[in-house]
Amino acid sequence: MALRMALLGLLVAEGPATGYTLAKSFSGSLDHVWKASHSQIYPELAKMADSGLIEASDEIQSRGAKYYSVTESGRTELQSWLTEVEPTRTVRNEIALRSFLLSTLEPGQAISLLDREMEHYRVRSEMLIELKKTLDSSVGQEFGYFSAELGHRISDAIYEWSEWAKGKMEEKKTSSIDE
Amino acid sequence: MALRMALLGLLVAEGPATGYTLAKSFSGSLDHVWKASHSQIYPELAKMADSGLIEASDEIQSRGAKYYSVTESGRTELQSWLTEVEPTRTVRNEIALRSFLLSTLEPGQAISLLDREMEHYRVRSEMLIELKKTLDSSVGQEFGYFSAELGHRISDAIYEWSEWAKGKMEEKKTSSIDE
DNA sequence: GTGTGCATGTAATACGTTACATGATTAC
DNA sequence: GTAATCATGTAACGTATTACATGCACAC
């Protein structure tokens, strides 16, 4: 359902697009929020067209490209999903799971894992700051701005957590030497 | 793989346990990090026993309970996964996706969604503060402490983002009235 | 002519959710 | 005796990942 809504959202915001373009949009703006590959997107678009949420244009473009656009029913569907369906808040975050398992490691090992995380989220955070700048200056592109901001705040939170956890692990390491 | 590692981690940290207990542990401590239901856990434990990562005790307890414990091979497996396998950082966060779709809504509608989120994450945050207090006072239970801290920081980040986004939406609402 | 990027799809496998199904034990 | 909780499992379905497969168009 979420993938379907993501596709509807992109079509609403950016107008008619092909499966290929939508896959690209995912990797450009939705990537830090929701991932999907073309092998998922094409069959989903076909199903959506079957249920009348989107329509394929009659003319097929060069290279066999098919342009899809949202129907009125598609717009309604997206609206009611956003406003009426209770969000699935299932967390499935491997980094968080790994943080849970950190204490099964030696402090030294844990520290090098945390260093890796810090580096990753520092880079990610910087990337999102850049993305926000781009989106900020191009008026009418607020679409991705909210999620870029959220992604940025979450990345920072993970970065700071890693720093904190590293500190804890260093204390542990020192105190075990003292014993 | 992640579920398998979560189960190994729980068995390492808490000693021998049954599928039922492990399912309970998930909902107690791992819930805010990784979700799994018993229908996933039982078959996974059977597979893990087949590959020798865990062992079932000979005696079957009352009510047909089976106690599993980690083997040496299981410990090694967990270690090498944590230290050698590059984490899957795929984000699949429905709240973040919804944030992406916010701009397809009227500011008024968006604001009520954001209110709902704020309430949710305020409660979640408070819950995790309580959990951290519990884990802090019981020595030797640092196991869940790192992930509770991470969960807490992420919840707060989402809460603050919602507040920020709500402000933006209110500006938008006012300015559209002014027009 | 050949490599890169555009463009679409299918197949196999893995992972996850919901619902179905059963039975033992304990507490009231 | 009956309700709650312990305890384990299977089946159907839905979602996601990886690999396979094909062909057009443009630039060099």
Side-chain angles (χ1 to χ4, degrees), chain B residues 24 27 40 72 78 81 92 103-104 118 142 145 156 169:
Chain B
K24 287 284 157 187
S27 31
Q40 232 189 318
E72 209 35 52
L78 175 59
W81 183 73
R92 202 174 293 286
S103 32
T104 69
M118 281 170 71
E142 338 97 293
Y145 197 83
D156 276 2
M169 283 296 172

Side-chain angles (χ1 to χ4, degrees), chain B residues 160-177:
Chain B
E160 278 156 26
W161 169 84
S162 310
E163 211 167 35
W164 167 88
K166 192 183 167 180
K168 287 277 174 188
M169 283 296 172
E170 266 157 2
E171 277 173 34
K172 206 173 158 187
K173 203 175 159 186
T174 326
S175 72
S176 72
I177 291 167

Side-chain angles (χ1 to χ4, degrees), chain B residues 20 38-39 42 63-66 92:
Chain B
Y20 187 84
H38 76 276
S39 59
Y42 288 120
R63 298 182 202 188
K66 272 184 235 168
R92 202 174 293 286

Side-chain angles (χ1 to χ4, degrees), chain A residues 44-175:
Chain A
E44 188 63 33
L45 287 171
K47 275 190 257 166
M48 287 162 76
D50 279 351
S51 16
L53 299 174
I54 56 176
E55 264 175 352
S57 64
D58 302 328
E59 323 94 51
I60 283 164
Q61 247 48 31
S62 67
R63 301 183 199 185
K66 271 182 238 169
Y67 273 85
Y68 288 102
S69 47
V70 193
T71 62
E72 209 35 53
S73 140
R75 272 168 212 276
T76 316
E77 189 72 8
L78 175 58
Q79 273 236 339
S80 62
W81 183 73
L82 279 173
T83 54
E84 283 155 38
V85 178
E86 185 66 12
T88 305
R89 292 201 180 78
T90 312
V91 182
R92 202 172 292 286
N93 181 340
E94 197 182 292
I95 299 309
L97 172 62
R98 279 170 185 258
S99 81
F100 191 80
L101 300 169
L102 270 189
S103 33
T104 68
L105 294 177
E106 300 292 309
Q109 287 181 306
I111 288 169
S112 49
L113 285 193
L114 289 166
D115 278 332
R116 186 169 67 175
E117 286 317 300
M118 280 171 72
E119 178 57 14
H120 182 86
Y121 285 98
R122 191 188 57 72
V123 170
R124 190 188 186 80
S125 195
E126 274 169 18
M127 192 204 78
L128 287 168
I129 290 171
E130 284 313 305
L131 180 62
K132 274 165 58 185
K133 273 187 201 154
T134 319
L135 294 170
D136 207 21
S137 51
S138 57
V139 187
Q141 283 293 0
E142 338 97 294
F143 199 59
Y145 197 82
F146 286 92
S147 58
E149 179 67 31
L150 178 57
H152 176 215
R153 284 168 188 251
I154 291 176
S155 288
D156 277 1
I158 300 178
Y159 179 85
E160 278 157 26
W161 169 85
S162 309
E163 212 168 33
W164 167 87
K166 193 183 168 182
K168 287 277 173 188
M169 284 295 173
E170 267 157 1
E171 278 173 35
K172 207 173 155 185
K173 202 174 159 186
T174 326
S175 71

